[in-house]
Amino acid sequence: MGKTVVAEHLSAFFGEHQILHDVSLEMQANQVTAIIGPSGCGKSTFIRCMNRLHETVARATMTGRVLLDDENVYEANSVWVRRTIGMVFQKPNPFPAMSIFDNVAAGLRLNGIRKKSVLAEQVERSLHMSALWDEVKDRLSAPSASLSGGQQQRLCIARALAIEPAVLLMDEPASALDPISTLRIEELIEEIKCQYTIVIVTHNLQQAARVADTTAFFLSGEIIEYGRTTDMFTTPSDKRTEDYVTGRFG
Amino acid sequence: MSHRLLLWRRLKNQVFFTLLVFMSLIALFPLFNILWYVISRGLPELSIRFFTRLPGPVGMVGGMANAIVGTLIVVSLACLIAIPIGVGAGIYMAEYADDRFAAVCRFLADVLSGVPSIVAGLMVYATVVIWMHSYSAFAGALSLALLMLPTLMRTTEQMLLMVDTSLREGAFALGATRFQTTVQVVLPTAASGLITAVMLSIGRVMGETAPLLFTAFGNSFWQDGLNAPIAALPLQIFVYATSPYPQWQAQAWTGALTLLAIILVINIAARAFGRGKLR
Ligand SMILES: Nc1ncnc2c1ncn2[C@@H]1O[C@H](COP(=O)(O)OP(=O)(O)O)[C@@H](O)[C@H]1O
Ligand SMILES: [Mg+2]
């Protein structure tokens, strides 16, 4: 089941440069939250604070709290946090030295699961979920680089799902993909959202409108508006949101 | 644009191109000259016994079996010492060290790589050889290891820095520790490059003579363990080439040919790994 993620008074920095300014946002369990906003406004930085990936960058710091169903992420073990909060990146990043199977099994192996039958079962299940199974079932031992871009991204989704996280962060998962692959990923989100908390960054507004229950609009490291997706797109309360969703800037 | 201007441009282009080809030929000339010379001078004494016999007294048929084996032993030993340290330090610099410490390591490695090989030999002589009261295979290996270290450190670091950060983040995002990320994702991704780097560094020290002069010292017989003087191809070549005997001089060329062949094989293997063909 999904877990609710709550960001409280989050500020994030790269060195002296402040990227996020006191951002607070609640991402409901078993719902899809979309984060929209112009490029460079801190969307990636924000979701990378959720799974503590931000702190792995040299000179990157943050203040504030992130709660995962009342548990403070920044007081918990970072390995546990990242197992519980999975992530799919903007650019597909399958491990090139590993086969298709090993890529999906990587997270399980990293977490100490060695039993062949368990691995095989979980890999198949995850590939089914990411709608890749039929395309790769006959060549699971082929190198991951032999897949197309869209397939690689679905492989990365399967890899993230294989360790059964409670939350799935997706950073513009379809921005580098063709329309058919994009559609597949949106269908996938629709199918799995009842079991996960999904946070999707997108600069494709139609995509946010299609998949998200709630939407947050970021601008220059601040949340300008947050609410039900339909409201955000039809009756935004802030002028800047309206300008953005109607395409007047961004 | 006038026709004559165009012609003039084309002419300039031609002259420049011809000049470049000419320069390349000049650069390649010594290389092919060396190859041809070593092959033609080395072939006459090339025979099975060259690879199976010990050096004989003047006038008797002998070979360089001990020197060939000696070189392989000394270089292998040098690898055992230098590869774990050099690759380890390179991994540390690329994956763990903060910017400032990595910069210090990089600077030291660059300084070390500028140390002349004879100075490295002298260092080992003044410490290990004097302390052990004996020239030895071990001392020879140590001096070669000193020469391998800086290149190994720097090339390892560079190979790892070439691995995209997004792969490390992909591993982190699955709950991998930094150690797991390094061992299971970064190193396998950089593997072919690392193997190439290691092999090239081996090829570089294989022919080193100066540091072996007062560390491994040379030996006309089979070595008596790693704590005793040991023969090596470059040393044997040096002794034979500077001897007054025509047969020894001819054998020096055969030794040189053997050394070149070994280094060539290592280089070709390195290149094959580099292209990931031998995965
Ligand atoms: N590793 C980094 N080092 C320094 N600044 C960075 C780094 N990554 C991102 N930034 C800066 O942080 C700001 C927000 O970036 P990001 O969160 O990636 O924006 P978005 O995902 O909304 O396009 C940008 O101004 C960007 O230049
Ligand atoms: Mg981004």
Side-chain angles (χ1 to χ4, degrees):
Chain A
M1 278 324 256
K3 295 186 184 214
T4 298
V5 184
V6 182
E8 286 180 349
H9 303 292
L10 218 63
S11 292
F13 307 78
F14 285 109
E16 303 291 293
H17 196 44
Q18 184 163 6
I19 306 298
L20 295 177
H21 303 266
D22 195 30
V23 172
S24 298
L25 182 65
E26 183 170 328
M27 288 147 279
Q28 290 287 344
N30 310 323
Q31 285 209 3
V32 180
T33 305
I35 294 176
I36 60 173
S39 169
C41 66
K43 306 180 295 293
S44 298
T45 307
F46 176 74
I47 65 165
R48 288 163 59 90
C49 285
M50 303 299 108
N51 67 344
R52 299 184 57 171
L53 211 51
H54 181 66
E55 70 195 50
T56 65
V57 177
R59 300 191 4 98
T61 53
M62 55 82 65
T63 60
R65 294 207 303 174
V66 176
L67 301 177
L68 187 60
D69 268 2
D70 299 327
E71 188 149 6
N72 188 338
V73 159
Y74 281 83
E75 280 163 9
N77 177 305
S78 64
V79 168
W80 173 82
V81 168
R82 296 188 194 129
R83 277 191 57 172
T84 315
I85 306 182
M87 184 161 192
V88 176
F89 296 78
Q90 180 167 2
K91 200 173 121 252
N93 58 350
F95 304 131
M98 294 185 194
S99 67
I100 293 171
F101 182 95
D102 290 344
N103 259 282
V104 184
L108 299 165
R109 290 203 174 112
L110 284 168
N111 289 296
I113 296 167
R114 290 269 174 271
K115 204 160 167 233
K116 280 221 173 68
S117 58
V118 177
L119 290 176
E121 192 179 311
Q122 196 70 350
V123 167
E124 177 171 347
R125 196 186 69 93
S126 310
L127 285 170
H128 269 303
M129 285 178 76
S130 70
L132 190 59
W133 175 253
D134 290 330
E135 289 157 64
V136 300
K137 62 173 188 278
D138 300 320
R139 49 175 178 140
L140 289 173
S141 56
S144 52
S146 65
L147 299 176
S148 74
Q151 289 174 323
Q152 287 188 10
Q153 190 62 303
R154 278 180 280 143
L155 182 68
C156 292
I157 294 175
R159 182 176 75 186
L161 293 176
I163 52 174
E164 302 189 2
V167 180
L168 191 61
L169 308 173
M170 306 177 102
D171 191 352
E172 304 193 29
S175 67
L177 303 187
D178 57 282
I180 296 188
S181 298
T182 303
L183 188 68
R184 285 259 168 81
I185 287 176
E186 287 179 14
E187 286 169 355
L188 162 72
I189 292 171
E190 200 60 42
E191 279 164 32
I192 65 174
K193 74 174 196 190
C194 54
Q195 306 163 50
Y196 295 86
T197 308
I198 294 177
V199 183
I200 179 169
V201 173
T202 177
H203 59 211
N204 179 336
L205 297 177
Q206 286 79 34
Q207 183 168 64
R210 283 193 297 267
V211 301
D213 302 295
T214 46
T215 296
F217 172 53
F218 275 57
L219 194 61
S220 311
E222 287 174 59
I223 292 191
I224 302 300
E225 194 168 345
Y226 162 72
R228 282 179 47 203
T229 302
T230 42
D231 299 343
M232 290 280 287
F233 282 94
T234 52
T235 54
S237 54
D238 194 289
K239 180 75 171 59
R240 291 165 292 182
T241 314
E242 188 182 332
D243 286 348
Y244 186 72
V245 299
T246 53
R248 266 197 279 275
F249 82 89
Chain B
M1 190 182 294
S2 81
H3 195 64
R4 276 182 55 195
L5 196 64
L6 248 170
L7 263 182
W8 170 235
R9 280 189 167 192
R10 200 174 296 165
L11 187 71
K12 266 204 304 196
N13 199 22
Q14 277 296 331
V15 169
F16 191 60
F17 177 74
T18 317
L19 214 65
L20 285 183
V21 171
F22 188 63
M23 297 293 187
S24 321
L25 286 180
I26 292 180
L28 286 175
F29 180 72
L31 183 68
F32 279 107
N33 209 7
I34 290 172
L35 266 181
W36 183 81
Y37 206 75
V38 170
I39 290 171
S40 63
R41 297 290 297 264
L43 275 179
E45 281 288 322
L46 192 66
S47 62
I48 302 276
R49 67 169 166 70
F50 183 83
F51 297 103
T52 54
R53 296 219 188 155
L54 290 177
V58 180
M60 302 264 288
V61 281
M64 288 197 184
N66 61 335
I68 295 169
V69 172
T71 281
L72 295 178
I73 289 177
V74 172
V75 172
S76 307
L77 215 53
C79 289
L80 279 182
I81 301 168
I83 292 176
I85 301 176
V87 172
I91 293 174
Y92 182 78
M93 283 155 69
E95 302 294 320
Y96 289 89
D98 63 44
D99 292 348
R100 195 172 301 165
F101 188 74
V104 171
C105 288
R106 224 169 278 145
F107 175 72
L108 291 180
D110 288 347
V111 171
L112 192 59
S113 72
V115 171
S117 62
I118 195 154
V119 176
L122 197 60
M123 241 293 284
V124 174
Y125 174 79
T127 52
V128 178
V129 174
I130 300 250
W131 171 59
M132 290 189 7
H133 301 292
S134 166
Y135 299 109
S136 63
F138 177 69
L142 210 56
S143 65
L144 295 188
L146 272 178
L147 297 176
M148 289 173 77
L149 262 183
T151 20
L152 276 176
M153 282 167 69
R154 289 305 304 273
T155 45
T156 301
E157 189 201 15
Q158 272 155 16
M159 292 298 161
L160 297 192
L161 289 182
M162 265 161 51
V163 174
D164 207 290
T165 313
S166 72
L167 295 182
R168 291 184 185 85
E169 296 193 333
F172 289 152
L174 292 172
T177 61
R178 196 168 275 273
F179 177 75
Q180 287 175 317
T181 303
T182 304
V183 172
Q184 299 187 31
V185 173
V186 180
L187 288 180
T189 306
S192 68
L194 282 179
I195 291 170
T196 310
V198 166
M199 287 193 162
L200 289 176
S201 76
I202 296 172
R204 272 233 357 90
V205 296
M206 196 124 216
E208 281 290 350
T209 320
L212 296 183
L213 283 172
F214 33 38
T215 52
F217 191 70
N219 188 338
S220 310
F221 303 98
W222 289 108
Q223 70 281 351
D224 189 17
L226 300 179
N227 285 325
I230 188 168
L233 264 177
L235 292 175
Q236 196 77 14
I237 293 169
F238 176 69
V239 172
Y240 270 31
T242 53
S243 78
Y245 315 113
Q247 192 201 2
W248 280 19
Q249 289 165 9
Q251 286 206 335
W253 286 107
T254 313
L257 181 60
T258 311
L259 195 55
L260 261 183
I262 295 175
I263 293 172
L264 196 69
V265 166
I266 291 177
N267 271 295
I268 291 172
R271 232 145 270 263
F273 271 114
R275 289 202 208 95
K277 287 220 171 108
L278 298 178
R279 273 288 254 326

